[in-house]
Amino acid sequence: PMTAPVRAPGKAPSGGLAITGLILLTALPVIGGVVRVRDVGAGATSSLPLPLTIAIVVHIVAMSLYCFVGAFQFSPALRARRRWHRTAGRVLIPLGLAAALAGVALVLLFHGPDDEYALALVRLVFCIVMTVYLVLGAIAIVRRRFAAHGAWMTRAYAIGIAGGTQALLVTLFGLVVGDVDPVRETWLVAAGFFVNLAVAEWRNHRRLQLSRAPQQD
């Protein structure tokens, strides 16, 4: 009878498909962020207060790097190389905190239309949640609670790359239903966060099940 191919002992999968998918998911918000930073550099936001301009640049740059580098943490082969995993983690936690806290600052310094305040509030909540997840992830690794560390970092990353999911939801909604007004955008942005967190919880649960599964000879 035919049997499934057996992977060589000790050889972890590359995770190339997951990495590619995560990078593609972040492509749209990253491209939009690059354009926004370029506009800031060209003086297009010169009418904005300096603290708000700084928060915009920090949020976009830090979040873009966080999402890109973080994608490679989902490669089992790279995670098996402890030096890479530790070095990347020491970069990712500060980047994630900078991105999330700059996002908080963006909301606190918000000067948009009144009908966009609900959207700003949703983003504020999830920036705070992302900050909490990153802090809990850092505490877990200091205490050498590796499974908890991975779970918290996965949740934080899910929030970080939610911009890609939100862009897809807004685009699909616009194509199928029609115009996306601020109220609909608020619901779609919130849905993007919850979709990503649901996927993160599924992955955490699956990893926990695999870690508890009896090893077969």
Side-chain angles (χ1 to χ4, degrees):
M2 295 183 64
T3 58
V6 179
R7 191 165 54 241
K11 185 177 181 181
S14 66
L17 186 61
I19 293 172
T20 301
L22 290 171
I23 291 176
L24 289 175
L25 185 63
T26 62
L28 280 177
V30 167
I31 292 172
V34 169
V35 172
R36 186 73 185 275
V37 171
R38 184 198 63 184
D39 291 342
V40 171
T45 59
S46 57
S47 61
L48 296 178
L50 182 59
L52 183 56
T53 301
I54 293 173
I56 290 172
V57 174
V58 171
H59 178 72
I60 291 172
V61 173
M63 189 65 83
S64 298
L65 292 173
Y66 175 78
C67 292
F68 178 77
V69 177
F72 292 89
Q73 293 289 70
F74 289 85
S75 165
L78 286 176
R79 284 203 311 274
R81 298 165 59 180
R82 293 186 178 181
R83 179 175 298 180
W84 152 263
H85 187 67
R86 290 174 180 174
T87 301
R90 289 168 181 162
V91 172
L92 284 169
I93 291 177
L95 280 175
L97 288 172
L101 293 174
V104 171
L106 283 174
V107 177
L108 296 179
L109 298 170
F110 180 70
H111 286 82
D114 291 345
D115 58 3
E116 293 182 4
Y117 271 99
L119 176 59
L121 182 60
V122 168
R123 288 175 170 154
L124 173 64
V125 169
F126 282 97
C127 281
I128 293 173
V129 172
M130 180 178 172
T131 301
V132 172
Y133 286 168
L134 287 166
V135 171
L136 290 173
I139 293 172
I141 197 60
V142 169
R143 295 178 176 175
R144 302 185 67 80
R145 297 174 56 199
F146 301 111
H149 167 73
W152 288 122
M153 294 303 292
T154 298
R155 294 177 184 119
Y157 187 77
I159 293 177
I161 64 166
T165 305
Q166 292 158 356
L168 288 176
L169 291 176
V170 169
T171 300
L172 290 174
F173 188 94
L175 291 173
V176 176
V177 179
D179 184 52
V180 180
D181 59 27
V183 174
R184 290 173 172 175
E185 185 180 3
T186 300
W187 284 105
L188 291 170
V189 166
F193 283 123
F194 283 115
V195 166
N196 278 22
L197 284 175
V199 173
E201 291 304 328
W202 170 82
R203 184 179 185 276
N204 287 338
H205 179 70
R206 183 169 176 270
R207 289 185 67 185
L208 182 62
Q209 286 184 317
L210 291 173
S211 68
R212 291 177 175 176
Q215 298 297 319
Q216 297 182 354
D217 295 333

